[in-house]
Amino acid sequence: MADDIILEARGLSKEFKGFIAVKEVNLQVRRGTIHALIGPNGAGKSTVFNLLTKFLTPTRGQILYKGRDITAMKPADVALLGMVRSFQISAVFPHLSVLENVRVALQRPRGTSFHFWKPEASLYDLHARAEELIEAVNLTPWAGHTAAELPYGRKRALEIATTLALDPEVMLLDEPLAGMGHEDIEGTAALIKRVSADRTILMVEHNLSVVAHLSDTITVLRRGEILAEGAYDVVSRNPQVMEAYMGTGEVGHA
Ligand SMILES: Nc1ncnc2c1ncn2[C@@H]1O[C@H](COP(=O)(O)OP(=O)(O)OP(=O)(O)O)[C@@H](O)[C@H]1O
């Protein structure tokens, strides 16, 4: 596997009691890119995502992370290797403040040792790092508010901050823009772009146009199979993609 491919699926298939939800999917995620997995309802996006993050076991096929076969590994062990799914480890506690939530995430043990912040690290350092992460996701004005008080878009930003606390090399986001209004979509998309600077992001999204400006590569799934792949300009003009989305009003000019 080429060095620039950080995550790869080979012939990935998943059957549920004879129903083929994912069929022979070959996917290559390039290091340092934002890669979106999109498709209409029931296309198999969540199933592929759950397979890649090891929440489901494939019926057939292989998953490689940095050239290493992780098909049989547990999600927590994959996280230790640097591939973290948002909300996997980074639960948000509604009654803790934004600052407390990020501090808790920073103190989470990673493997047998603490990740960034060893037990001897000063509280000041922990606090400073938490403030940096909060700033990175534009939550500084909300630092003292409880997570429960945050508007929807800000809550997603906090979830991204707590995931970033683990400093993942590959961050997997499950529909990070779902349920958001237009204002929140723009802000969250910009946030994802910012935090992608030195990492790889794979995200599942329903809607093609919202990932248009954000993704380097878009893989379109339909009925469990890859229908098209490439930059937005390429996939949005693909007649099969247009047909798959026909009537949904989702393919459009973003
Ligand atoms: N545990 C399961 N048992 C049986 N069938 C399943 C299971 N999980 C998913 N499926 C089926 O597999 C197909 C793909 O589902 P999946 O949730 O992966 O699609 P999706 O692209 O994420 O759809 P959506 O956008 O609606 O969330 C669907 O037909 C679904 O009904």
Side-chain angles (χ1 to χ4, degrees), residues 16 19 21 40-47 175 206:
F16 295 108
F19 174 76
N41 279 332
K45 304 179 294 291
S46 302
T47 306
E175 303 215 26
H206 191 78

Side-chain angles (χ1 to χ4, degrees), residues 5-251:
I5 304 301
I6 193 160
L7 177 64
E8 180 171 4
R10 291 183 186 163
L12 206 57
S13 299
K14 180 68 182 175
E15 290 179 21
F16 295 108
K17 296 187 180 127
F19 174 76
I20 304 170
V22 171
K23 190 175 173 191
E24 291 289 322
V25 163
N26 294 302
L27 189 71
Q28 293 194 324
V29 178
R30 271 183 299 124
R31 194 185 291 272
T33 60
I34 299 181
H35 193 129
L37 203 54
I38 70 146
N41 279 332
K45 304 179 294 291
S46 302
T47 306
V48 170
F49 192 77
N50 287 329
L51 289 168
L52 292 174
T53 51
K54 316 310 318 314
F55 282 73
L56 279 175
T57 307
T59 309
R60 274 180 306 283
Q62 241 188 337
I63 302 162
L64 292 101
Y65 175 66
K66 293 185 183 172
R68 176 172 173 177
D69 190 333
I70 59 161
T71 318
M73 279 177 82
K74 294 196 193 87
D77 294 330
V78 173
L80 293 179
L81 296 178
M83 184 162 87
V84 179
R85 172 183 180 148
S86 183
F87 331 127
Q88 176 185 346
I89 300 176
S90 54
V92 163
F93 302 103
H95 302 300
L96 293 186
S97 73
V98 165
L99 183 64
E100 287 163 342
N101 263 294
V102 176
R103 286 183 51 153
V104 166
L106 281 168
Q107 290 177 88
R108 237 162 252 272
R110 190 169 165 174
T112 51
S113 64
F114 279 74
H115 175 41
F116 261 160
W117 306 98
K118 307 259 186 294
E120 67 269 21
S122 74
L123 282 176
Y124 176 77
D125 286 346
L126 184 71
H127 197 86
R129 178 69 184 136
E131 285 185 334
E132 257 174 47
L133 283 170
I134 290 168
E135 175 71 36
V137 299
N138 287 342
L139 279 180
T140 305
W142 296 89
H145 288 73
T146 64
E149 289 171 318
L150 299 179
Y152 187 76
R154 305 285 173 163
K155 235 174 237 160
R156 305 310 297 256
L158 175 57
E159 284 158 358
I160 290 175
T162 56
T163 307
L164 285 174
L166 299 163
D167 199 26
E169 269 186 272
V170 177
M171 191 159 148
L172 299 121
L173 304 172
D174 191 4
E175 303 215 26
L177 307 169
M180 285 188 182
H182 192 64
E183 346 66 63
D184 276 340
I185 287 184
E186 276 186 17
T188 310
L191 165 61
I192 293 171
K193 192 86 184 173
R194 253 193 338 273
V195 304
S196 74
D198 49 3
R199 63 191 91 240
T200 308
I201 295 186
L202 176 67
M203 54 191 270
V204 165
E205 253 305 324
H206 191 78
N207 194 316
L208 177 58
S209 56
V210 298
V211 298
H213 298 303
L214 194 56
S215 316
D216 300 292
T217 309
I218 297 172
T219 300
V220 186
L221 284 173
R222 184 184 55 176
R223 293 190 207 117
E225 293 184 86
I226 293 181
L227 185 63
E229 191 170 79
Y232 174 76
D233 285 351
V234 177
V235 296
S236 64
R237 290 200 190 107
N238 181 309
Q240 284 183 296
V241 174
M242 290 164 89
E243 194 205 319
Y245 275 94
M246 194 87 88
T248 66
E250 283 168 2
V251 178

